[in-house]
């Protein structure tokens, strides 16, 4: 069962017609707030129903809810005309910079009510009708996530205790290989990916350049938020959209400006992206081979990798001490969903598989490979 719900950024940022009368804007805002609560409830429901609840899953779930609440609060900032009016009162200044979250929303609401009285802001007026419900929504999940954190902690203790018990009985607690073999795979895989580092970096920088070039052609940059929505509908522009988020700044006047350090930021982002792809490739290779190296120690591993159009492609020859050998074809495919959200896949296949029984298999999947080497064991949940 999936443990995360998708909160679409565009649903939050484009939910209100800011040219409409204020009462209509408020109605549209509260309508999306209601839909957001349904998604938050679904997120919590999935976490409670997870077969193996982890602290990471709880943290990610809470982070997604906080991010969605933040996005909707920025919409509320515009409904309340806080942009450009932060000097109007302490209330307007604090609410403009406020960032409601599951943990902080209750305190934010108390502060808002206190400042509203001090600044002569009507507690039943538009400003509080926008701020109060989103704070109450976020604060309502504080105890829920406290309980989920406790459940995840208890589940981890139970898993560690079960692993220790199996180890005492001579049963391997997890599908793992010799640590030296795993480290050797990581080091070798990282060295294979290293020659592609410059190409990966250039690939990321090209898409940030796309964003800069498009930005320079837009006369009215205040309309860029609408452009972003359109970018996310089209796969090539989805890549440029990622760059926009990093190098453009949203000003208090509701406009976008190019960051003064945009070129330096592009360089840093390219390096970070290249390091991430190479590192993930190396650790995924170790994860893919771990169930197989449990069967026999590693004898040799060699190969090379290439990078083109967002895909790292590796061809690796592997030999085990028991005479088993195979070619491992593995990729890191960096893609984008229809909503413009980035994700990675790690498809892997085994070719020319010699199990030492006189037969050579042209191609096996990960599950088939494990079953061939460990016929009496259930297949582990292999990392994709």
């Amino acid at each position: 069962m999936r443990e995360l719900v998708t909160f679409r950024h565009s649903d939050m940022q484009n939910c209100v017609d800011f040219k409409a009368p204020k009462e209509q804007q408020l109605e549209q805002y509260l309508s999306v707030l209601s839909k957001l609560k349904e998604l938050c409830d679904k997120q919590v429901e999935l976490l409670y129903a997870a077969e193996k609840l982890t602290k990471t899953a709880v943290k990610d779930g809470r982070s997604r809810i906080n991010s969605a609440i933040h996005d909707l609060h920025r919409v509320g900032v515009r409904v309340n005309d806080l942009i450009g009016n932060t000097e109007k009162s302490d209330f307007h200044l604090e609410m403009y910079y406020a960032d409601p979250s599951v943990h902080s929303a209750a305190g934010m609401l108390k502060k808002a009510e206190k400042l509203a009285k001090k600044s002569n802001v009507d507690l039943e007026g538009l400003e509080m009708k926008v701020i109060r419900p989103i704070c109450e929504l976020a604060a309502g999940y504080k105890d829920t996530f406290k309980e989920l954190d406790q459940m995840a902690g208890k589940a981890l203790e139970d898993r560690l205790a079960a692993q220790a018990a199996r180890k005492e009985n001579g049963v391997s607690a997890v599908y793992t290989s010799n640590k030296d073999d795993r480290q050797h795979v990581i080091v070798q895989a990282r060295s294979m990916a290293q020659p592609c580092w410059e190409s990966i970096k250039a690939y990321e920088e090209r898409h940030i350049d796309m964003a800069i070039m498009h930005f320079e052609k837009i006369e009215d940059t205040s309309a860029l938020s609408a452009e972003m929505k359109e970018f996310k509908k089209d796969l090539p522009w989805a890549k440029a959209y990622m760059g926009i988020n990093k190098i453009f700044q949203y000003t208090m006047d509701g406009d976008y400006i190019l960051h003064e350090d945009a070129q330096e930021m592009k360089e840093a982002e390219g390096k970070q992206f290249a390091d991430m792809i190479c590192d993930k490739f190396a650790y995924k290779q170790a994860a893919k081979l771990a169930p197989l190296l449990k069967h026999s120690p590693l004898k040799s591993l060699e190969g090379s990798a290439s990078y083109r159009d967002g895909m790292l492609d590796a061809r690796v020859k592997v030999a085990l001490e028991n005479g088993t050998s195979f070619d491992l074809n593995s990729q890191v495919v960096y893609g984008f969903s229809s909503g413009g959200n980035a994700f990675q896949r790690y498809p892997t296949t085994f070719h020319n598989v010699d199990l030492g029984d006189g037969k050579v298999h042209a191609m096996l999947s990960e599950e088939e490979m494990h079953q061939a080497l460990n016929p009496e064991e259930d297949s582990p949940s292999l990392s994709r």
Side-chain angles (χ1 to χ4, degrees):
M1 177 178 292
R2 294 176 66 245
E3 297 174 357
L4 297 175
V5 169
T6 299
F7 296 92
R8 291 176 62 87
H9 178 81
S10 58
D11 289 344
M12 304 298 167
Q13 293 295 318
N14 302 284
C15 63
V16 174
D17 178 7
F18 294 107
K19 296 180 181 180
K22 285 299 179 183
E23 289 300 322
Q24 186 175 338
Q25 291 184 35
L26 176 61
E27 183 179 346
Q28 294 170 347
Y29 169 82
L30 294 178
S31 175
V32 176
L33 183 70
S34 177
K35 294 177 182 177
L36 174 59
K37 186 178 187 310
E38 293 178 4
L39 285 174
C40 290
D41 288 343
K42 181 63 176 176
Q43 174 67 89
V44 169
E45 179 184 335
L46 287 173
L47 289 170
Y48 274 117
E51 293 182 7
K52 293 182 180 180
L53 185 64
T54 65
K55 285 185 173 291
T56 299
V58 175
K59 180 180 179 180
D60 287 345
R62 179 169 46 227
S63 176
R64 284 175 176 242
I65 289 177
N66 284 338
S67 179
I69 288 171
H70 168 83
D71 286 346
L72 191 55
H73 175 63
R74 300 319 298 172
V75 174
V77 162
R78 296 187 66 182
V79 173
N80 275 340
D81 291 329
L82 297 181
I83 297 174
N85 288 314
T86 54
E87 296 180 1
K88 190 174 181 180
S89 71
D90 289 343
F91 172 86
H92 291 79
L93 178 64
E94 290 292 337
M95 291 305 102
Y96 177 83
Y97 286 108
D99 188 9
S101 66
V102 170
H103 177 74
S104 67
M108 173 182 164
L109 180 55
K110 289 181 180 179
K111 188 172 187 179
E113 291 173 341
K114 181 178 179 180
L115 289 174
K117 294 177 182 178
K118 178 182 177 181
S119 304
N120 295 319
V121 173
D122 186 358
L123 288 174
E124 301 301 326
L126 175 66
E127 289 93 338
M128 290 305 298
K129 285 182 178 179
V130 170
I131 292 170
R132 183 178 290 110
I134 196 168
C135 287
E136 290 176 345
L137 169 67
Y141 293 103
K142 183 175 181 179
D143 290 341
T144 298
F145 274 96
K146 182 178 180 180
E147 181 181 31
L148 285 167
D149 277 325
Q150 292 173 345
M151 290 173 59
K154 180 64 167 59
L156 176 61
E157 291 177 1
D158 291 343
R159 288 195 294 272
L160 292 175
Q163 289 178 9
R166 288 195 296 268
K167 188 174 182 179
E168 288 181 1
N169 294 328
V171 179
S172 177
V174 292
Y175 284 95
T176 184
S177 57
N178 180 279
K179 289 184 178 180
D180 290 338
D181 283 348
R182 286 174 60 85
Q183 187 61 34
H184 180 68
V185 171
I186 292 172
V187 171
Q188 288 293 97
R190 190 61 172 81
S191 66
M192 290 178 208
Q194 190 60 35
C196 303
W197 191 90
E198 288 291 345
S199 297
I200 300 172
K201 175 176 174 287
Y203 173 84
E204 176 71 356
E205 291 178 347
R206 281 199 303 273
H207 293 299
I208 296 179
D209 282 336
M210 288 171 62
I212 296 175
M213 290 172 61
H214 190 78
F215 177 84
E216 291 174 342
K217 295 178 181 178
I218 299 176
E219 295 182 3
D220 181 12
T221 54
S222 64
L224 194 58
S225 58
E227 293 287 335
M228 289 183 183
K229 183 179 179 182
E230 293 302 314
F231 287 165
K232 297 187 77 174
K233 294 180 180 178
D234 184 59
L235 182 59
W237 283 112
K239 300 178 177 66
Y241 174 82
M242 294 185 66
I244 285 174
N245 281 341
K246 297 179 181 300
I247 62 174
F248 293 159
Q249 291 178 304
Y250 190 63
T251 69
M252 292 175 62
D253 296 324
D255 199 359
Y256 281 91
I257 60 173
L258 189 64
H259 199 287
E260 60 180 7
D261 297 324
Q263 292 301 320
E264 290 78 1
M265 293 173 71
K266 181 187 75 171
E267 177 81 10
E269 175 62 22
K271 291 179 179 179
Q272 182 179 356
F273 182 80
D275 285 338
M276 178 194 71
I277 292 296
C278 292
D279 288 342
K280 282 194 172 183
F281 169 75
Y283 282 97
K284 276 292 179 180
Q285 292 299 298
K288 298 282 187 179
L289 289 173
L292 309 180
L293 297 178
K294 174 179 178 290
H295 181 71
S296 173
L298 179 68
K299 182 177 181 180
S300 65
L301 181 147
E302 59 184 17
S304 61
S306 60
Y307 188 81
R308 183 178 180 181
D309 295 332
M311 182 174 72
L312 183 65
D313 193 350
R315 299 288 185 268
V316 185
K317 289 186 176 294
V318 181
L320 306 183
E321 290 288 358
N322 67 351
T324 299
S325 63
F326 52 86
D327 296 337
L328 177 70
N329 291 0
S330 185
Q331 298 172 334
V332 179
V333 181
Y334 197 82
F336 294 81
S337 69
S338 58
N341 298 309
F343 65 90
Q344 287 130 3
R345 295 183 293 109
Y346 303 88
T348 300
T349 52
F350 297 84
H351 302 260
N352 302 320
V353 180
D354 183 354
L355 299 175
D357 56 1
K359 297 180 181 180
V360 176
H361 303 270
M363 185 177 77
L364 295 178
S365 67
E366 291 180 69
E367 183 175 1
E368 291 170 336
M369 188 68 179
H370 177 81
Q371 289 178 343
L373 291 175
N374 304 275
E376 296 182 358
E377 296 184 5
D378 293 333
S379 296
S381 178
L382 294 175
S383 174
R384 299 294 175 188

